[in-house]
Amino acid sequence: MSCSTGAAMLLHKHLTPELTSRLEKLKTRNGWTLRKAMQSGLDHEDSQMGVYAGDSETYALFSPLLHPIIRDHSGCNLGGHTSDFSLDGLPQGDLDPSGEFIISTRIRVGRNLARYAFPPAIGARARAELEAEVVQVLTGLKGELAGEYHPLASLSEAQRRTWVEQHVLFKPGDRFLDSAGVNRDWPRNRGIFHTPDLRFIVWVGEEDALRIISMQPGSGLAAVFRRLTSALDVLGEQLDFARDSRLGYHTACPTNLGTAMRASVLIRLPRLSRRPDLHARCARLGLAVRGLHGEHSDAEDGVHDISNAVRLGVTERDIYRQLWRGVRKLIAMETRNGILNEDSQDI
Ligand code: DAR
């Protein structure tokens, strides 16, 4: 299914006075209301969506508003979402064997637990219970996934700063997340699980209950994908992830619904970076461009974070294939100084 992406702040576009009067008195079992859902959009006119979910029930109770917003943003008709982690028949060698372009590869998924409120709405006691349940499972992981958990409050400021600079650890939520309530009781019952080689990491209590991350230096996209798939198989057997057959995995932000997967490379594109059409070229390849320090950051020295633009209405296999093909084309364009365009047949 192809998905186009939508326009600017969607809350104002889709919230009518009739919908407001119809929804404003409703409340989920976790106390999430229409006002709380849209507080971030009310506080920040530059929001893309302007809404956050406090729990799975949010997507059902406020569907008259949220479903049009989600359709608009994702370009999908919400007819059904399926998962497919298979790589059979897809290229699995190194995307950039010479290492001239790709600095590192990272794939993350967001997950929330079905019986807890999501970070915007969760209370202090429930956040402590969720952390304890998740840490018990994480610390039981074996083999290449074995590691240790560190509550944020236990980290020295030097260790915290080092890991944040290395993009290993998360910071307090940005102004959008702060308005949505994600930073309440910070840093209590948030933490990071990691393997000794920092190639498998789990953030506990960031924007979603879990951000499950596989990453490594270089361009081994298949190895990163397989490590994540293995982890999700084990974690999914022990943790009840919030999801349904229409929206896929439920996330606090509707932009992450579906696969909740962002597969990315940090890549040097010094020649393409000087061209005004890099973002447009990437968009036509189904890719999004971020700066060196993730969302809302700028590129530095021609280094960009390139990732899949769509998460809903596609499978994890689709995302792998799209990133693979898109990055190969960008590298070909870079080596020919952008002379080729993305639908050229000889790249
Ligand atoms: N700032 C929110 C969410 C944008 C997507 N980024 C996330 N989920 N981290 C907005 O509606 O603009």
Side-chain angles (χ1 to χ4, degrees):
M1 175 192 300
S2 67
C3 293
S4 59
T5 53
M9 169 125 69
L10 298 178
L11 171 63
H12 293 330
K13 180 177 175 182
H14 292 282
L15 183 62
T16 63
E18 183 272 332
L19 266 183
T20 300
S21 59
R22 192 171 146 199
L23 301 175
E24 62 185 352
K25 295 183 177 57
L26 302 180
K27 186 181 288 192
T28 73
R29 68 177 63 91
N30 292 297
W32 203 246
T33 62
L34 176 65
R35 176 71 194 215
K36 290 179 177 179
M38 61 190 201
Q39 189 61 54
S40 186
L42 297 177
D43 290 352
H44 307 287
E45 278 301 320
D46 57 337
S47 294
Q48 184 184 3
M49 308 283 273
V51 291
Y52 285 91
D55 47 28
S56 284
E57 189 183 354
T58 302
Y59 287 109
L61 196 62
F62 300 110
S63 59
L65 169 63
L66 294 183
H67 283 195
I69 287 178
I70 295 162
R71 285 192 193 94
D72 196 336
H73 172 264
S74 65
C76 300
N77 63 12
L78 307 189
H81 180 87
T82 56
S83 287
D84 180 358
F85 285 83
S86 71
L87 296 183
D88 299 345
L90 296 182
Q92 298 183 36
D94 253 351
L95 255 173
D96 172 28
S98 71
E100 181 182 354
F101 303 99
I102 297 176
I103 299 165
S104 60
T105 302
R106 176 182 190 268
I107 307 177
R108 69 85 169 147
V109 295
R111 292 289 188 270
N112 289 284
L113 302 193
R115 68 186 188 89
Y116 291 93
F118 300 173
I122 197 168
R125 178 180 302 175
R127 189 186 284 111
E129 289 171 9
L130 183 151
E131 181 192 36
E133 179 175 344
V134 165
V135 168
Q136 183 176 7
V137 172
L138 291 172
T139 49
L141 292 172
K142 307 274 187 253
E144 72 159 345
L145 300 178
E148 55 192 30
Y149 180 75
H150 300 277
L152 288 198
S154 72
L155 296 176
S156 68
E157 178 55 20
Q159 179 67 76
R160 190 196 69 78
R161 190 179 303 120
T162 300
W163 272 349
V164 166
E165 286 164 4
Q166 293 171 341
H167 309 152
V168 166
L169 180 62
F170 58 99
K171 297 180 286 190
D174 62 23
R175 57 193 168 92
F176 303 97
L177 293 172
D178 195 55
S179 289
V182 167
N183 291 334
R184 271 193 333 278
D185 308 313
W186 180 273
R188 277 173 40 196
N189 303 115
R190 280 85 165 180
I192 177 173
F193 172 87
H194 69 87
T195 52
D197 61 7
L198 293 175
R199 292 190 172 202
F200 178 67
I201 294 168
V202 180
W203 294 348
V204 179
E206 198 239 3
E207 177 176 329
D208 290 303
L210 301 180
R211 286 290 173 94
I212 305 166
I213 302 160
S214 175
M215 60 195 264
Q216 63 190 51
S219 58
L221 182 60
V224 172
F225 190 93
R226 282 194 293 266
R227 183 185 303 117
L228 182 66
T229 303
S230 303
L232 290 173
D233 286 347
V234 175
L235 296 176
E237 286 168 1
Q238 302 175 68
L239 297 170
D240 182 15
F241 293 143
R243 61 168 298 162
D244 71 37
S245 59
R246 289 189 71 188
L247 299 178
Y249 289 99
H250 292 177
T251 51
C253 179
T255 61
N256 282 308
L257 286 168
T259 61
M261 178 179 277
R262 192 172 90 87
S264 61
V265 293
L266 266 185
I267 184 169
R268 294 183 193 90
L269 298 169
R271 302 166 90 179
L272 282 182
S273 297
R274 289 192 289 271
R275 299 177 62 93
D277 61 351
L278 174 62
H279 286 241
R281 284 173 180 247
C282 288
R284 290 195 291 271
L285 291 168
L287 301 176
V289 186
R290 293 182 176 184
L292 193 53
H293 300 289
E295 196 171 15
H296 311 306
S297 73
D298 298 320
E300 292 175 19
D301 301 328
V303 177
H304 298 266
D305 171 310
I306 303 286
S307 62
N308 58 297
V310 175
R311 312 203 199 307
L312 175 64
V314 292
T315 67
E316 294 79 5
R317 175 184 171 86
D318 293 334
I319 288 172
Y320 176 96
R321 176 172 46 209
Q322 185 161 54
L323 185 65
W324 176 278
R325 288 179 176 170
V327 169
R328 291 295 298 164
K329 291 204 171 187
L330 287 172
I331 290 174
M333 286 188 258
E334 173 68 19
T335 53
R336 302 176 198 176
N337 196 14
I339 295 169
L340 290 167
N341 57 38
E342 53 288 343
D343 53 21
S344 172
Q345 295 313 307
D346 60 350
I347 55 176

